[in-house]
Amino acid sequence: MSHDVHSTAADQFDFSDASCLQTDPKNTDKYWTPERYDSAVAKMARRICGNCVILDACREYALRAQPEQGIWAGMSPAERALIGGAS
């Protein structure tokens, strides 16, 4: 068995059941990359994440990959950095 050293965490993660993919596409940028992470739309994104069937796997991905922007597993970039730095 060979491992591709160039593969990323995203290449190995299945997002197909993610709740965020079920949201209205016209709201995608507004929810997942809000202007402010304490805004009402960011809170809506966090609620959607909170009910997601892949939340634990998404959290693991987000903490490992540390995406620079957006809400991932209900966390802002600053929250991910804080938690990721603790592990």
Side-chain angles (χ1 to χ4, degrees):
M1 174 193 298
S2 68
H3 290 79
D4 181 2
V5 294
H6 299 291
S7 67
T8 65
D11 294 332
Q12 300 165 13
F13 186 73
D14 181 8
F15 292 95
S16 61
D17 292 329
S19 295
C20 58
L21 295 180
Q22 311 308 314
T23 60
D24 187 341
K26 70 181 177 195
N27 291 323
T28 299
D29 287 339
K30 179 171 65 173
Y31 284 166
W32 310 115
T33 52
E35 290 181 26
R36 289 184 16 241
Y37 288 101
D38 62 347
S39 66
V41 293
K43 289 176 186 171
M44 175 59 75
R46 292 172 196 275
R47 275 195 293 275
I48 292 168
C49 289
N51 293 317
C52 186
V53 297
I54 65 163
L55 178 61
D56 291 338
C58 186
R59 182 179 296 117
E60 181 181 322
Y61 163 77
L63 292 174
R64 187 174 58 234
Q66 289 293 327
E68 291 182 21
Q69 297 180 2
I71 303 259
W72 286 82
M75 298 179 289
S76 70
E79 292 166 325
R80 290 191 298 272
L82 203 82
I83 294 169
S87 48

